[in-house]
PDB file of all heavy atoms in Angstrom:
ATOM      1  N   ASN A 436       4.311  29.551  25.279  1.00 97.00           N
ATOM      2  CA  ASN A 436       4.612  30.440  26.404  1.00 97.00           C
ATOM      3  C   ASN A 436       3.651  30.169  27.558  1.00 97.00           C
ATOM      4  O   ASN A 436       2.456  30.392  27.409  1.00 97.00           O
ATOM      5  CB  ASN A 436       4.469  31.903  25.952  1.00 97.00           C
ATOM      6  CG  ASN A 436       4.900  32.878  27.032  1.00 97.00           C
ATOM      7  OD1 ASN A 436       5.881  32.649  27.715  1.00 97.00           O
ATOM      8  ND2 ASN A 436       4.148  33.951  27.199  1.00 97.00           N
ATOM      9  N   PRO A 437       4.182  29.670  28.678  1.00 97.00           N
ATOM     10  CA  PRO A 437       5.545  29.227  28.995  1.00 97.00           C
ATOM     11  C   PRO A 437       5.984  28.050  28.115  1.00 97.00           C
ATOM     12  O   PRO A 437       5.145  27.324  27.596  1.00 97.00           O
ATOM     13  CB  PRO A 437       5.444  28.784  30.455  1.00 97.00           C
ATOM     14  CG  PRO A 437       4.228  29.478  31.001  1.00 97.00           C
ATOM     15  CD  PRO A 437       3.284  29.597  29.857  1.00 97.00           C
ATOM     16  N   GLY A 438       7.304  27.909  28.005  1.00 96.00           N
ATOM     17  CA  GLY A 438       7.848  27.012  26.992  1.00 96.00           C
ATOM     18  C   GLY A 438       8.011  25.559  27.396  1.00 96.00           C
ATOM     19  O   GLY A 438       8.527  25.261  28.454  1.00 96.00           O
ATOM     20  N   ASN A 439       7.568  24.680  26.537  1.00 96.00           N
ATOM     21  CA  ASN A 439       7.952  23.275  26.548  1.00 96.00           C
ATOM     22  C   ASN A 439       8.782  23.085  25.293  1.00 96.00           C
ATOM     23  O   ASN A 439       8.255  23.352  24.213  1.00 96.00           O
ATOM     24  CB  ASN A 439       6.703  22.377  26.489  1.00 96.00           C
ATOM     25  CG  ASN A 439       7.056  20.907  26.313  1.00 96.00           C
ATOM     26  OD1 ASN A 439       8.201  20.522  26.447  1.00 96.00           O
ATOM     27  ND2 ASN A 439       6.048  20.103  25.989  1.00 96.00           N
ATOM     28  N   PRO A 440      10.046  22.706  25.346  1.00 97.00           N
ATOM     29  CA  PRO A 440      10.760  22.052  26.450  1.00 97.00           C
ATOM     30  C   PRO A 440      11.658  22.968  27.268  1.00 97.00           C
ATOM     31  O   PRO A 440      12.377  22.459  28.135  1.00 97.00           O
ATOM     32  CB  PRO A 440      11.644  21.053  25.689  1.00 97.00           C
ATOM     33  CG  PRO A 440      12.051  21.801  24.451  1.00 97.00           C
ATOM     34  CD  PRO A 440      10.827  22.602  24.079  1.00 97.00           C
ATOM     35  N   THR A 441      11.653  24.280  27.054  1.00 97.00           N
ATOM     36  CA  THR A 441      12.728  25.100  27.622  1.00 97.00           C
ATOM     37  C   THR A 441      12.410  25.726  28.976  1.00 97.00           C
ATOM     38  O   THR A 441      13.324  26.138  29.693  1.00 97.00           O
ATOM     39  CB  THR A 441      13.073  26.267  26.666  1.00 97.00           C
ATOM     40  OG1 THR A 441      11.883  27.066  26.508  1.00 97.00           O
ATOM     41  CG2 THR A 441      13.535  25.768  25.317  1.00 97.00           C
ATOM     42  N   GLY A 442      11.119  25.879  29.312  1.00 96.00           N
ATOM     43  CA  GLY A 442      10.760  26.582  30.547  1.00 96.00           C
ATOM     44  C   GLY A 442      10.904  28.090  30.439  1.00 96.00           C
ATOM     45  O   GLY A 442      10.758  28.804  31.435  1.00 96.00           O
ATOM     46  N   VAL A 443      11.156  28.594  29.216  1.00 97.00           N
ATOM     47  CA  VAL A 443      11.279  30.047  29.024  1.00 97.00           C
ATOM     48  C   VAL A 443       9.896  30.699  29.116  1.00 97.00           C
ATOM     49  O   VAL A 443       8.921  30.195  28.563  1.00 97.00           O
ATOM     50  CB  VAL A 443      11.908  30.372  27.642  1.00 97.00           C
ATOM     51  CG1 VAL A 443      11.771  31.859  27.304  1.00 97.00           C
ATOM     52  CG2 VAL A 443      13.373  29.958  27.613  1.00 97.00           C
ATOM     53  N   VAL A 444       9.825  31.839  29.832  1.00 97.00           N
ATOM     54  CA  VAL A 444       8.597  32.641  29.889  1.00 97.00           C
ATOM     55  C   VAL A 444       8.912  33.992  29.261  1.00 97.00           C
ATOM     56  O   VAL A 444       9.887  34.646  29.636  1.00 97.00           O
ATOM     57  CB  VAL A 444       8.117  32.819  31.349  1.00 97.00           C
ATOM     58  CG1 VAL A 444       6.931  33.768  31.420  1.00 97.00           C
ATOM     59  CG2 VAL A 444       7.746  31.460  31.956  1.00 97.00           C
ATOM     60  N   LEU A 445       8.099  34.408  28.302  1.00 96.00           N
ATOM     61  CA  LEU A 445       8.362  35.674  27.621  1.00 96.00           C
ATOM     62  C   LEU A 445       8.043  36.860  28.537  1.00 96.00           C
ATOM     63  O   LEU A 445       7.038  36.845  29.256  1.00 96.00           O
ATOM     64  CB  LEU A 445       7.500  35.791  26.359  1.00 96.00           C
ATOM     65  CG  LEU A 445       7.803  34.796  25.236  1.00 96.00           C
ATOM     66  CD1 LEU A 445       6.875  35.043  24.050  1.00 96.00           C
ATOM     67  CD2 LEU A 445       9.252  34.873  24.790  1.00 96.00           C
ATOM     68  N   SER A 446       8.880  37.897  28.477  1.00 95.00           N
ATOM     69  CA  SER A 446       8.616  39.125  29.227  1.00 95.00           C
ATOM     70  C   SER A 446       7.538  39.918  28.476  1.00 95.00           C
ATOM     71  O   SER A 446       7.288  39.668  27.287  1.00 95.00           O
ATOM     72  CB  SER A 446       9.900  39.958  29.310  1.00 95.00           C
ATOM     73  OG  SER A 446      10.218  40.438  28.014  1.00 95.00           O
ATOM     74  N   PRO A 447       6.904  40.896  29.130  1.00 95.00           N
ATOM     75  CA  PRO A 447       5.897  41.714  28.426  1.00 95.00           C
ATOM     76  C   PRO A 447       6.483  42.349  27.159  1.00 95.00           C
ATOM     77  O   PRO A 447       5.809  42.421  26.125  1.00 95.00           O
ATOM     78  CB  PRO A 447       5.521  42.776  29.454  1.00 95.00           C
ATOM     79  CG  PRO A 447       5.806  42.150  30.778  1.00 95.00           C
ATOM     80  CD  PRO A 447       6.969  41.223  30.570  1.00 95.00           C
TER      81      PRO A 447
END
Side-chain angles (χ1 to χ4, degrees):
N436 186 40
N439 172 12
T441 60
V443 168
V444 174
L445 294 180
S446 68

